[in-house]
């Protein structure tokens, strides 16, 4: 089954001093979603933005907000990000401490699409129980925390195995560019979160279209 490839530029790679105009720029360039990395300096060694900035961005773009929570205790922050305008809320299985089912049903009770993410070293078995409940699985192809890292080829087989058992959206995140997009699409990924490749591109429209074109005819 041929899935439409959606490109979700990751704003962590944008010029943080001009976030609003950067978001407008990639919306005009044809992005499908806006990937917003939320980091708390505890679950991952970096700190980024919170619900207030998400809400400010929600006011200036029509793009669906694909919010990626790399935070400890995500359950305590779901309402705030839902209120802020998130359309997708993705939590890490590693941060759910065994109550992923309740976290995911809470996201859905807030009327949002629920995603679950797993780090490169986390096996698919860790999310098997929640696959029936989520709209999206976000497969990390770098260690979470920073943009501009090198794609981890070792994660490719996990995407392939996931697509065999999951019919929903498979998103990939980390080091996605013209070289790596083809691998992940051929394994079944249909949402590409891409930061540096798009925001550092001279022509973001060409960069976005280039990623989509990696889908074999
Ligand atoms: C990493 C983030 C990714 C990353 C993407 O923790 O979740 O969204 O910033 O940036 P690139 O595409 O530059 O790896
Ligand atoms: Zn991300």
């Amino acid at each position: 089954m041929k899935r439409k490839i959606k490109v979700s530029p990751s704003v962590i790679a944008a010029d943080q001093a001009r976030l609003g105009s950067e978001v407008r720029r990639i919306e005009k360039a044809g992005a499908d979603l806006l990937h917003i990395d939320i980091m708390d300096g505890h679950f991952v060694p970096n700190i980024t933005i919170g619900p207030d900035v998400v809400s400010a961005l929600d006011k200036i773009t029509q793009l669906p907000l694909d919010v990626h929570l790399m935070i400890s205790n995500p359950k305590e922050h779901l309402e705030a990000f839902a209120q802020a305008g998130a359309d997708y809320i993705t939590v890490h299985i590693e941060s759910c401490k065994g109550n992923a089912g309740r976290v995911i049903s809470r996201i859905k009770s807030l009327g949002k699409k629920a995603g679950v993410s797993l780090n490169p070293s986390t096996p698919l078995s860790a999310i098997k129980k929640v696959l029936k409940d989520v709209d999206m699985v976000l497969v990390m192809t770098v260690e979470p925390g920073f943009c501009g890292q090198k794609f981890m080829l070792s994660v490719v087989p996990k995407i392939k195995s996931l697509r065999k058992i999951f019919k929903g959206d498979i998103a990939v995140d980390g080091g996605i560019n013209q070289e790596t997009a083809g691998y992940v699409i051929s394994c079944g990924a249909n949402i590409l979160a891409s930061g540096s490749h798009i925001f550092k591109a001279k022509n973001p429209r060409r960069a976005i279209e280039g990623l989509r074109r990696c889908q074999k005819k």
Side-chain angles (χ1 to χ4, degrees), residues 10 12-13 35 37 39 44 68 70 138 140 142-149 173-176 193-197:
S10 178
I12 191 174
H35 188 83
D37 289 315
M39 302 181 186
V44 290
H68 177 193
M70 286 164 276
L138 177 65
M140 293 308 295
V142 294
E143 284 306 327
F146 300 92
C147 63
Q149 299 181 79
D173 191 13
I176 300 300
S194 175
S196 319
H197 177 65

Side-chain angles (χ1 to χ4, degrees), residues 36-147:
I36 305 178
D37 289 315
I38 309 298
M39 302 181 186
D40 64 359
H42 184 255
F43 180 72
V44 290
N46 192 4
I47 298 178
T48 58
I49 56 177
D52 291 352
V53 178
V54 174
S55 170
L57 294 178
D58 186 45
K59 293 187 178 65
I60 60 144
T61 181
Q62 299 303 314
L63 290 175
L65 304 185
D66 160 27
V67 174
H68 177 193
L69 297 183
M70 286 164 276
I71 62 176
S72 304
N73 310 319
K75 200 162 183 317
E76 288 162 26
H77 303 277
L78 299 177
E79 282 82 351
F81 285 103
Q83 289 283 329
D87 296 279
Y88 285 82
I89 300 180
T90 297
V91 294
H92 271 259
I93 193 73
E94 301 90 351
S95 68
C96 288
K97 302 187 195 75
N99 66 4
R102 277 196 295 280
V103 175
I104 286 158
S105 46
R106 182 70 187 121
I107 294 171
K108 297 174 88 162
S109 70
L110 290 162
K112 306 302 174 183
K113 288 196 181 256
V116 67
S117 185
L118 60 174
N119 287 338
S121 57
T122 303
L124 277 187
S125 52
I127 60 168
K128 274 228 167 91
K129 272 207 301 267
V130 297
L131 280 183
K132 64 189 181 324
D133 306 318
V134 294
D135 302 289
M136 180 232 272
V137 175
L138 177 65
V139 180
M140 293 308 295
T141 42
V142 294
E143 284 306 327
F146 300 92
C147 63

Side-chain angles (χ1 to χ4, degrees), residues 202-217:
K202 274 202 207 49
N203 182 327
R205 171 173 293 281
R206 203 167 306 143
I208 291 172
E209 285 167 359
L211 292 181
R212 288 200 193 99
R213 269 204 304 278
C214 291
Q215 183 172 33
K216 295 249 171 320
K217 299 278 170 272

